[in-house]
């Protein structure tokens, strides 16, 4: 390996690391607010890339149908669950958000997709289709379990992942896609040729991180989200609508996932089930950072990206083995650093 | 005094098959202090939680002449109801200041500075500790923070669940002083206590709860002199402290 | 006796039904094959039931352990020519060692790190199996020998059915025996939080590790069987998806019930077979569409029936008989009570700082044998911190705590328990779903020895009877003799506090540490508690209690230590404290 290759691998690693960082901080965010370790975050990424690809081809993406299915399922289940406790306002919101919005988006996409309106439209439409999925998934799967232990929520999260991968196959098929970059072109940097898209990925990642910091530290809404994570009953008692904090966290997760998917679609080939591995790598980063620090997670994600890129060069067959095995020394270190008593009050 | 700020009619709460509160009716006159006393497990906390909407219940709860129905906790907070729960339920890893700030959630950031002034005037200790994490406070300070957080929402009816629980006598006295002050400032108060002695001293009206139902009610002073109440709830050395 | 018989009846019927199933004429070969797979999955699911439902941990990587068992046997039989029977110890050893490694790493961490670790390890091993030349890469290894008995190969589904289901039966019996034993209670106690278990001498990290390795061994056993039933191995049945399906079995059947694992394995295996037939036809193309149904099922079970489906069946079966208590079982060994009046516990300049904050400021006092000492002080005085120093929950910054002349400061809670110091908790820490008797028996954990293996083989019954008899005796001593078999969660708060005292007494302590024993008790409950503590003192027990209720402390104790802002401001008899002006000033806010 010479210097140029090393630099090239570093560039690759940093770009992938940036994507993993977006996944990692999202996992930290969702965990902090809802205690859900959101394994299916990767699915949002894959679906966003697949959606962009479908729109580029001028076809109706599977996500449009999927959103409608999720909306109908959520509304139906909520009617069954809540029954007579439903108020008119709730029913109106459900009609609007769960049924009219997905139906409207579907019609819009059927009408507009064949016109191939270009990059900006594709990106906007992808965001519009994916963001509502976050809150819908939360209401379907996690809201009824809001008082359960982290372990139960994790098992549910794995269940959701399982179901979503299957649905992904139904709605997108098994074929892989690659999308056109938002930013095309390259520029030389020493011995390297750098893609503008790579710079875009980095800039977006940094902007998302800054945005999250400002949101949680500076705004009432952000603090309310944190408060709900710390003490749910306390949050209810000061009038924070806790059910909506979960929905907001999941909407943020879906939004960041969609952004990541739009970015990554042009960098690598994405299949319906690619999300899992991408998600898990972000996840390795989040665990290295102990599931609570945003900057540490981002840093760890860069490390994961670099490790992956170099091990792909040296031992490509064992790339995944190496990446997932670094979780073990990390856990050893955490175990040694932790005192004897840790999971008190874990099981409620 | 105008009509009651809160009236509860035929309220019942069940946990599965067990009826924890049975057919309870209660009224709180505007600006007064009402106490519910009773043994552990009598259903006092359940009653509070039902009024706040934390637990589902049957019967009618009317605040300011408006039926609360099945409204959510946050909607009740918005109408001026506030509960300081037995376990305080603070945001332990957040600063004292942020805890208070979130108390004003229903008004948004605009009301925070105003609320801080009021709360710090009542609880100077909280101002000294404003940057400290809530989880590092002592028991008494935690109770003060819980009350301070409640006051940030400018409640019209403040409900206190066992405010004296686990607190040393000196701090209990301080807390009840503040309760009296709040009442003078026009806040109506419902306080549930096992420390019946202290509660009856500050209250205008009192209810005695046993096994999920009210067995007695009347002016607090009258109950404090009642032989049955003295025997059951005031212990042997009635009125020894304070 | 008939109740006992009645509770056994369904088991006998179930075992017979399984035994004759392959023999029924007309049962298609395919059904028997499916039943064999159900048995294999049951082994894995039973392990997960213990891990998830009982121990409060979980694993998504169980399939990798199955793979370990399978690959070990595949290599040893094909490359080294060993007989399939001979490879069992190696298969178990290799899975056991791997599990030990992962377990040691995660056992001390909180509940969700283990499953996260298992996801990573499940994926790693899938790619590892698939990339190692010697393991045949993604093609795997084929041509494995079948099991054989006396020269006859067990190739048909009907033939291998019996080795599989005999293994399941053994696994069920061993697992249930384990749960119903000293170690089993230690594992079940993990659900009540590790601090309580540690305070009675349970090595919680070890208990978690034991259960994790045991679950892995069951998976390894399943893998070993699988290798020689299928007679070929490849990476895909051991991937993360298979691991998730195993977990679904445990959750669906009933995490917490050993037999629930078998139920879950049955449902998932049959359902998978059916769905693989139906879904591709509905959707029009091939693919693992059953994962949609499985994923939804997983979430639905957690939402609608967190305990899984087994409890619904359990409700139809006769109630299991209460535990018998053999009152004539020989008593457990008893500790020599300290001499009355001799110093038992001495605290010398104990100090605890948090950052710059001094929570306990060079506090010294002595507790003498046969005394009740009260530790009082206004809130925030540092009483709880001091209490935590004495019980090993926190370490002191400086100073010494000596018990019977030996230093105990800095010792972990477990070792302090071994010295004969037992405690109760301010917030009751009992396992709500476990009977009062079994909760209290955890107190006697250190007074008996039976380990995991002897418990599984039922060699522990003598000592078990002695433990239960001791627990019953202590419950009678504190006046809860009528509530032995009720779930602890069904007792009133006051009774739960008393049950905690019984549990502490089961340790055969010389010193009892009580953390606010009267908090939340009503007036007559407090009087009963005071009566009990006086009786214990009369029997020679030494008691140190932290308490807020002044009346209670004044009337009960022999000696009082008063803390204010971390500093001892006074100590003496209740009468002296009641008139000490410094105490009145600080504690009661001046004389009125």
């Amino acid at each position: 390996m010479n210097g140029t290759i090393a630099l090239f691998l570093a560039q690759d690693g940093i770009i992938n690391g940036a994507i993993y960082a977006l996944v990692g901080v999202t996992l930290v965010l969702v965990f902090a607010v809802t205690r859900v370790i959101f394994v299916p975050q990767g699915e949002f990424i894959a679906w966003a890339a697949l959606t962009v690809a479908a729109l580029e081809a001028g076809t109706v993406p599977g996500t449009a149908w999927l959103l409608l299915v999720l909306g109908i399922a959520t509304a139906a289940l909520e009617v069954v669950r809540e029954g007579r406790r439903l108020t008119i306002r709730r029913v109106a919101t459900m009609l609007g958000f769960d049924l009219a919005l997905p139906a409207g988006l579907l019609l819009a996409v059927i009408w507009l997709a064949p016109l191939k309106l270009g990059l900006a439209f594709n990106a906007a439409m992808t965001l519009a289709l994916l963001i509502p999925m976050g809150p819908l998934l939360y209401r379907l799967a996690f809201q009824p379990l809001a008082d359960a232990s982290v372990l139960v929520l994790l098992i549910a999260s794995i269940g959701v992942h399982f179901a979503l991968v299957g649905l992904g196959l139904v709605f997108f098929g098994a074929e892989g896609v690659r999308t056109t970059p938002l930013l095309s072109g390259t520029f030389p940097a020493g011995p390297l040729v750098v893609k503008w898209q790579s710079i875009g990925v980095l800039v977006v990642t940094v902007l998302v991180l800054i945005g999250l910091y400002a949101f949680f530290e500076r705004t009432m809404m952000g603090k309310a989200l944190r408060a709900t994570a710390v003490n749910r009953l306390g949050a209810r008692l000061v009038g924070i609508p806790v059910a909506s904090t979960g929905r907001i966290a999941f909407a943020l997760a879906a939004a960041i996932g969609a952004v990541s998917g739009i970015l990554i679609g042009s960098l690598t080939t994405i299949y319906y089930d690619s999300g899992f591995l991408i998600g898990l790598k972000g996840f390795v980063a989040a665990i290295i950072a102990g599931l609570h620090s945003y900057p540490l997670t981002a840093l760890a994600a860069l490390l994961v990206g670099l490790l992956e890129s170099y091990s792909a060069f040296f031992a490509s067959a064992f790339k995944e083995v190496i990446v997932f095995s670094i979780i073990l020394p990390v856990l050893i270190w955490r175990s040694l650093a932790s005192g004897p008593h840790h999971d008190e009050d874990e099981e409620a | 005094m105008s009509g009651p700020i809160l009236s509860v009619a035929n309220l019942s709460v069940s946990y599965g098959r067990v009826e924890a509160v049975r057919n309870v009716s209660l009224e709180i006159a505007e600006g007064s202090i009402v106490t519910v006393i009773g043994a552990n497990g009598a259903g006092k906390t359940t009653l509070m939680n039902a009024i706040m909407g934390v637990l589902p219940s049957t019967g009618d709860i009317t605040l300011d002449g408006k039926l609360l129905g099945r409204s959510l906790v946050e909607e009740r907070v918005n109408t001026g109801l506030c509960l300081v729960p037995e376990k305080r339920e603070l945001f332990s890893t957040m600063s004292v200041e942020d805890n208070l700030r979130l108390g004003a959630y229903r008004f948004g950031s605009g009301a925070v500075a105003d609320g801080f002034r009021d709360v710090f005037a009542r609880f100077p200790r909280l101002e000294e500790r404003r940057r400290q994490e809530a989880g590092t406070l002592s028991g008494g300070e935690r109770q003060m923070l819980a009350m301070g957080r409640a006051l940030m929402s400018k409640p019209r009816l403040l409900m206190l669940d066992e405010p004296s629980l686990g607190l040393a006598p000196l701090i209990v006295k301080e807390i009840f002083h503040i309760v009296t002050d709040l009442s003078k400032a026009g806040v109506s108060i419902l306080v549930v206590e096992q420390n019946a002695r202290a509660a009856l001293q500050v209250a205008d009206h009192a209810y005695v709860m046993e096994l999920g139902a009210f067995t007695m009610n009347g002016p607090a002073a009258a109950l404090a002199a009642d032989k049955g109440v003295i025997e059951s709830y005031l212990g042997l050395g009635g009125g020894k402290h304070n | 006796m008939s109740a006992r018989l009645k509770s056994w009846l369904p088991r006998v019927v179930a075992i017979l039904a399984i035994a004759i199933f392959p023999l029924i004429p007309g049962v298609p070969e395919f059904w028997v094959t499916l039943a064999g797979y159900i048995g294999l999955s049951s082994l894995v699911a039973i392990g997960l039931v213990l891990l998830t439902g009982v121990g409060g941990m979980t694993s998504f990587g169980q399939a990798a352990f199955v793979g370990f068992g399978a690959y070990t046997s595949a290599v040893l039989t094909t490359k080294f020519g060993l007989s399939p029977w001979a490879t069992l110890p190696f298969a178990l050893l290799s899975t056991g060692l791997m599990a030990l490694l992962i377990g040691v790493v995660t056992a001390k961490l909180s509940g969700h790190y283990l499953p996260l670790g298992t996801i990573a390890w499940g994926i790693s091993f899938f790619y590892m199996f698939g990339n190692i030349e010697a393991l045949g890469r993604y093609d795997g290894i084929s041509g494995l020998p079948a099991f054989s008995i006396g020269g006859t190969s067990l190739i048909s589904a009907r033939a291998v059915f019996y080795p599989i289901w005999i293994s399941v039966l053994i696994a069920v019996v061993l697992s249930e025996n384990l749960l119903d034993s000293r170690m089993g209670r230690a594992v079940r106690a993990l659900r009540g939080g590790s601090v309580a278990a540690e305070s009675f001498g349970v090595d919680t990290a070890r208990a978690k590790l034991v259960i994790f390795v045991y679950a892995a061994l069951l998976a390894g056993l399943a893998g070993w069987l699988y290798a020689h039933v299928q007679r070929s191995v490849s990476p895909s049945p051991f991937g993360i998806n298979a691991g998730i399906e195993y977990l679904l079995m445990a959750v669906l059947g009933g995490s917490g019930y050993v037999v629930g694992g078998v139920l879950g394995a049955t449902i998932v295996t049959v359902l998978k077979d059916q769905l693989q037939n139906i879904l591709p036809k509905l959707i029009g193309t091939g693919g693992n569409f059953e994962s949609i149904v499985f994923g939804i099922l997983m979430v639905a079970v957690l939402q609608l029936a967190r305990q899984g489906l087994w409890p619904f069946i359990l409700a139809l079966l006769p109630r299991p008989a209460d535990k018998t208590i053999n009152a004539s079982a020989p008593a457990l060994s008893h500790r020599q009570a300290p001499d009355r009046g001799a110093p038992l516990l001495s605290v010398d300049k104990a100090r605890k700082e948090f950052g710059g904050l001094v929570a306990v400021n060079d506090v010294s006092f002595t507790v003498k044998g046969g005394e009740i000492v009260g530790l009082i002080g206004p809130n925030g005085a540092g009483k709880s911190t001091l209490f935590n120093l004495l019980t090993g929950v926190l370490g002191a910054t400086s100073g010494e705590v000596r018990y019977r002349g030996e230093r105990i400061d800095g010792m972990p809670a477990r070792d302090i328990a071994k010295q004969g110091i037992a405690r109760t908790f301010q917030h009751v820490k009992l396992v709500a779903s476990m009977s009062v008797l079994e909760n209290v028996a955890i107190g006697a954990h250190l007074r008996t020895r039976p380990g995991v293996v002897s418990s599984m083989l039922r060699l522990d019954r003598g000592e078990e009877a002695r433990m239960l008899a001791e627990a019953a005796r202590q419950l009678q001593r504190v006046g809860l003799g009528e509530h032995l078999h009720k779930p602890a969660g069904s007792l009133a708060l006051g009774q739960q506090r008393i049950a905690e005292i019984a549990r502490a007494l089961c340790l055969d302590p010389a010193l009892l540490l009580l953390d606010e024993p009267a908090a939340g008790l009503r007036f007559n409950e407090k009087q009963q508690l005071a009566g009990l503590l006086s009786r214990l003192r009369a029997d020679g027990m030494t008691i140190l209690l932290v308490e807020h209720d002044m009346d209670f402390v004044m009337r009960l104790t022999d000696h009082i230590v008063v803390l204010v802002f971390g500093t001892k401001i006074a100590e003496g008899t209740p009468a002296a404290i009641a008139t000490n002006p410094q105490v009145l000033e600080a504690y009661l806010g001046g004389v009125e």
Side-chain angles (χ1 to χ4, degrees):
Chain A
M1 182 170 77
N2 60 34
T4 317
I5 294 180
L7 277 174
F8 179 77
L9 290 175
Q11 184 195 346
D12 224 35
I14 288 169
I15 302 308
N16 284 337
I19 299 285
Y20 301 152
L22 288 176
V23 181
V25 296
T26 312
L27 290 172
V28 174
L29 183 162
V30 171
F31 181 70
V33 178
T34 62
R35 295 178 306 121
V36 174
I37 297 176
F38 191 55
V39 179
Q41 174 66 11
E43 263 68 69
F44 286 141
I45 298 174
W47 290 4
L50 289 160
T51 305
V52 173
L55 291 171
E56 279 178 0
T59 58
V60 176
T63 16
W65 293 103
L66 206 50
L67 181 64
L68 188 63
V69 170
L70 282 177
I72 293 171
T74 308
L77 272 179
E78 216 147 87
V79 167
V80 172
R81 238 180 239 141
E82 304 282 315
R84 290 178 38 226
R85 274 176 295 158
L86 283 173
T87 56
I88 293 174
R89 237 178 74 198
R90 286 285 299 287
V91 175
T93 339
M94 272 164 52
L95 281 176
F97 187 83
D98 303 347
L99 304 175
L101 176 71
L105 282 170
L106 178 64
L107 290 176
V109 97
I110 289 174
W111 171 45
L112 296 170
L115 306 177
K116 296 196 186 180
L117 294 173
L119 283 176
F121 168 79
N122 293 349
M125 190 44 116
T126 302
L127 281 168
L129 286 171
L130 271 135
I131 291 172
M133 285 189 185
L136 286 174
L137 275 182
Y138 175 72
R139 281 161 58 202
L140 263 178
F142 300 107
Q143 193 166 322
L145 291 170
D147 298 319
S149 68
V150 172
L151 188 64
V152 167
L153 289 169
L154 173 59
I155 297 174
S157 177
I158 290 283
V160 171
H161 153 72
F162 229 44
L164 292 189
V165 171
L167 287 171
L169 179 58
V170 175
F171 284 92
F172 293 105
E175 252 164 71
V177 299
R178 197 148 185 158
T179 59
T180 342
L182 287 175
L183 301 169
S184 50
T186 58
F187 67 92
L192 284 181
V193 178
V194 180
K195 293 181 194 157
W196 279 110
Q197 174 82 349
S198 305
I199 299 299
V201 169
L202 283 182
V203 169
V204 170
T205 305
V206 170
L207 285 179
V208 168
L209 290 177
I210 293 172
L212 284 177
Y213 174 84
F215 177 68
F216 282 111
E217 292 297 325
R218 295 274 175 269
T219 68
M220 185 71 116
M221 174 71 85
K223 282 181 201 256
L225 252 61
R226 279 168 60 203
T228 309
V230 178
N231 188 327
R232 215 177 154 74
L233 179 57
R236 289 177 74 191
L237 290 175
V238 298
I240 297 170
V242 291
S244 76
T245 59
R247 293 199 290 269
I248 293 167
F250 271 73
L252 277 172
I256 301 174
V259 170
S260 321
I262 294 168
L263 293 174
I264 203 176
S266 64
L267 298 172
T268 178
T269 308
I270 297 287
Y271 300 87
Y272 76 97
D273 63 351
S274 299
F276 189 44
L277 282 184
I278 299 171
L280 281 182
K281 283 168 193 163
F283 195 57
V284 169
I287 292 171
I288 294 176
L291 270 173
H292 65 76
S293 159
Y294 294 101
L296 271 185
T297 303
L299 216 63
L302 281 184
L303 199 79
V304 171
L306 289 170
L307 183 74
E308 180 189 36
S309 135
Y310 283 103
S311 49
F313 181 78
F314 286 110
S316 70
F318 292 95
K319 182 180 92 170
E320 313 292 359
V321 179
I322 293 170
V323 169
F324 287 108
S325 297
I326 62 160
I327 205 171
L328 282 181
V330 168
L331 291 176
I332 292 176
W333 163 66
R334 290 212 154 268
S335 173
L336 293 177
S338 76
H341 311 300
H342 248 258
D343 53 351
E344 204 53 9
D345 304 322
E346 173 67 36
E347 285 304 316
Chain B
M1 249 180 242
S2 55
I5 180 157
L6 179 86
S7 80
V8 171
N10 303 321
L11 182 98
S12 297
V13 185
S14 314
Y15 297 106
R17 271 175 235 152
V18 186
E19 234 183 7
V21 170
R22 276 175 295 124
N23 250 340
V24 161
S25 299
L26 154 153
E27 273 194 0
I28 300 174
E30 175 122 42
S32 72
I33 304 179
V34 172
T35 183
V36 176
I37 61 173
N40 197 34
K44 306 184 302 286
T45 297
T46 306
L47 170 66
M48 289 262 191
N49 284 335
I51 295 175
M52 197 62 222
V54 175
L55 287 175
S57 58
T58 59
D60 292 336
I61 304 169
T62 318
L63 185 74
D64 252 350
K66 267 179 38 195
L67 211 56
L68 293 182
R70 290 191 300 262
S71 57
L72 301 169
V73 179
E74 60 260 27
E75 289 162 0
R76 295 181 194 211
V77 172
N78 287 339
T79 56
L81 204 54
C82 196
L83 170 66
V84 178
E86 186 181 329
K87 291 184 180 160
R88 322 313 189 215
E89 310 293 353
L90 300 172
F91 308 122
S92 55
T93 56
M94 299 173 79
S95 68
V96 166
E97 206 177 272
D98 277 348
N99 268 272
L100 292 174
R101 178 172 283 123
L102 285 161
Y105 181 84
R106 74 162 167 132
F107 301 115
S109 316
V112 169
D114 201 32
F116 276 177
R117 246 195 315 282
D118 179 46
V119 169
F120 288 149
R122 278 182 210 283
F123 303 100
R125 281 280 274 286
L126 294 182
E127 184 158 25
E128 292 166 26
R129 315 238 152 173
R130 62 194 292 176
R131 310 241 177 260
Q132 210 170 311
E133 274 189 12
T136 64
L137 298 181
S138 72
E141 289 162 351
R142 292 165 64 82
Q143 176 60 16
M144 291 177 192
L145 178 55
M147 287 175 72
R149 188 179 70 180
L151 292 180
M152 293 291 289
S153 77
K154 303 222 167 15
R156 308 210 34 227
L157 174 63
L158 180 63
M159 299 194 285
L160 303 167
D161 192 354
E162 305 278 5
S164 78
L165 190 79
L167 300 188
L170 185 60
I171 299 178
V172 172
K173 212 185 279 179
E174 202 177 327
I175 297 283
F176 276 104
H177 267 305
I178 294 167
V179 169
T180 323
D181 282 350
L182 284 174
S183 157
K184 283 179 192 147
V187 182
S188 312
I189 289 162
L190 174 62
V191 54
V192 148
E193 261 295 343
Q194 274 190 82
N195 185 345
R197 208 180 290 150
L200 289 177
Q201 277 173 0
V202 299
D204 301 305
H205 198 87
Y207 292 79
V208 178
M209 195 167 200
E210 266 173 39
L211 299 172
F214 288 155
T215 54
M216 232 194 266
N217 83 82
L223 285 193
D226 184 279
K227 229 175 140 203
V229 172
I230 291 175
E231 224 158 75
S232 310
Y233 301 106
L234 299 181
L236 294 173
K240 198 167 99 188
H241 306 308
N242 301 349
Chain C
M1 227 32 220
S2 82
R4 192 146 291 251
L5 209 70
K6 230 171 116 185
S7 68
W8 272 97
L9 196 64
R11 288 161 180 253
V12 175
V13 172
I15 292 168
L16 285 177
I18 293 169
I20 61 167
F21 174 71
L23 305 176
I24 302 171
V27 167
E29 183 82 1
F30 177 67
W31 287 19
V32 182
T33 307
L34 207 58
Y37 284 121
I38 291 173
L40 291 172
S41 301
S42 296
L43 288 170
V44 187
I46 289 169
L48 277 171
V49 159
L50 295 187
L51 198 60
T52 306
V54 182
M57 299 168 278
T58 202
S59 160
F60 300 105
Q62 235 36 22
F65 290 125
V66 179
F68 241 81
Y71 270 100
T72 305
S73 196
V75 170
L76 290 177
T77 49
T78 56
K79 304 254 157 57
F80 298 91
L82 263 63
S83 117
W85 299 113
T87 60
L88 176 61
F90 298 102
L92 292 183
L93 197 68
S94 67
T95 26
L97 282 176
M98 277 323 293
L100 197 64
L101 180 71
I102 310 249
V104 165
V105 169
T106 52
K108 262 170 64 184
L109 298 173
S110 53
H112 51 274
Y113 278 100
L114 180 66
L116 297 182
T118 59
I119 292 180
W121 119 279
I123 292 180
S124 292
F125 274 80
F126 171 75
Y127 286 108
M128 195 113 112
F129 290 142
N131 282 300
I132 294 179
E133 190 59 56
L135 299 183
R137 294 186 182 270
Y138 287 102
D139 296 329
I141 303 171
S142 52
L144 272 61
F147 292 114
S148 67
I149 295 178
T152 329
S153 275
L154 307 181
I155 290 180
S156 77
R158 284 189 157 79
V160 289
F161 179 89
Y162 290 101
I164 293 173
W165 278 93
I166 288 169
S167 305
V168 174
L169 185 65
I170 292 172
V172 169
V173 171
L174 293 185
S175 305
E176 293 204 325
N177 286 351
L178 176 62
L179 286 185
D180 178 29
S181 73
R182 170 178 174 269
M183 277 309 288
R185 277 190 295 272
V187 172
R188 288 153 77 193
L190 294 177
R191 301 221 100 181
S194 57
V195 171
E198 289 274 338
S199 297
F200 290 96
V202 177
D203 186 338
T204 52
R206 185 170 168 270
K208 285 180 178 178
L209 191 58
V210 162
I211 214 75
F212 183 64
V213 171
Y214 177 66
L217 288 178
L218 286 179
L221 172 67
W224 169 75
L225 284 164
Y226 173 89
H228 301 288
V229 169
Q230 190 78 8
R231 293 196 289 132
S232 70
V233 293
S234 67
S236 56
F238 311 128
I240 193 76
N241 284 358
I244 295 170
E245 281 172 19
Y246 287 128
L247 186 68
L248 173 64
M249 295 174 191
V251 170
L252 187 65
S255 49
Y257 306 90
V258 172
V259 189
V262 181
L263 176 69
T266 310
I267 297 175
V268 172
T269 310
V270 172
L271 195 61
K272 184 170 181 173
D273 175 62
Q274 292 299 310
L275 290 175
Q276 280 179 341
N277 282 332
I278 300 166
L279 288 183
K281 283 178 206 151
L282 278 179
I283 293 163
T285 55
N288 291 333
F289 298 119
E290 74 273 9
S291 76
I292 303 172
V293 177
F294 284 175
I296 293 171
L297 203 55
M298 184 105 100
V299 177
V301 172
L302 294 175
Q303 287 183 359
L304 303 173
R306 188 94 42 98
Q307 295 298 309
L309 300 178
W310 186 250
F312 295 104
I313 294 180
L314 207 57
L316 304 175
L317 299 177
R319 214 174 73 84
D322 284 341
K323 285 197 166 305
T324 39
I325 292 151
N326 180 1
S328 60
L332 295 170
S333 61
H334 193 62
R335 206 185 302 270
Q336 180 78 40
D339 294 333
R340 204 168 276 274
L344 186 63
L345 180 80
S346 50
V347 180
D348 186 24
K349 294 203 175 121
R351 185 180 186 85
K352 181 67 186 178
E353 295 173 15
F354 294 108
L357 200 85
V358 184
V360 175
N361 187 2
D362 297 339
V363 171
S364 305
F365 65 92
T366 304
V367 177
K368 298 198 198 95
E371 276 187 338
I372 299 183
V373 175
L375 189 58
I376 63 170
N379 224 274
K383 299 187 301 289
S384 303
T385 311
L386 182 54
F387 198 85
N388 285 337
L389 296 184
L390 301 182
T391 48
V393 176
L394 288 175
T397 307
S398 66
E400 290 182 3
V401 181
R402 283 175 188 276
Y403 173 76
R404 289 186 155 171
E406 224 184 296
R407 281 189 65 168
I408 59 164
D409 51 284
M411 269 191 190
R414 219 163 53 228
D415 294 338
I416 289 178
K418 283 182 191 149
Q419 305 287 318
I421 302 177
R423 67 170 297 187
T424 64
F425 295 89
Q426 191 180 346
H427 302 290
V428 174
K429 290 185 193 293
L430 297 171
V431 184
S433 58
M434 222 154 97
S435 74
V436 177
L437 182 74
E438 289 190 279
N439 265 295
V440 170
I442 292 171
H445 188 81
L446 284 173
R447 294 168 77 190
T448 52
R449 290 265 72 88
V452 177
V453 177
S454 63
S455 302
M456 286 190 196
L457 301 176
R458 281 289 190 228
L459 303 174
D460 64 335
R461 290 299 98 178
E463 290 211 73
E464 173 77 4
R466 295 171 72 190
M467 273 176 103
L468 292 182
E470 173 72 5
R473 242 192 312 275
Q474 297 301 350
L475 278 162
Q476 264 139 20
R477 186 178 181 189
V478 301
L480 290 176
E482 287 168 22
H483 304 288
L484 303 184
H485 304 293
K486 287 186 188 163
S490 71
L491 296 186
L493 177 68
Q495 291 173 319
Q496 293 193 20
R497 281 195 189 282
I498 304 281
E500 280 215 331
I501 294 178
R503 179 173 67 183
L505 290 172
C506 257
L507 184 92
D508 185 30
L511 176 62
L512 260 187
L513 302 177
L514 308 180
D515 196 354
E516 303 211 12
L521 298 198
R522 55 197 293 179
F523 186 66
N524 54 356
E525 286 175 329
K526 281 184 190 173
Q527 283 183 314
Q528 282 165 11
L529 176 66
L532 170 64
L533 297 182
S534 303
R535 280 204 306 283
L536 291 176
R537 170 172 53 188
D539 292 346
M541 187 65 67
T542 313
I543 300 170
L544 172 66
L545 54 88
V546 165
E547 187 48 66
H548 266 117
D549 188 321
M550 283 288 269
D551 287 352
F552 185 82
V553 176
M554 288 290 174
R555 240 176 286 163
L556 182 67
T557 56
D558 302 297
H559 190 86
I560 292 177
V561 177
V562 187
L563 283 190
V564 173
F565 294 117
T567 311
K568 182 180 82 177
I569 60 159
E571 66 174 315
T573 61
I577 294 297
T579 53
N580 182 320
Q582 243 189 314
V583 175
L584 292 177
E585 173 64 34
Y587 200 84
L588 300 176
V591 190
E592 283 179 351

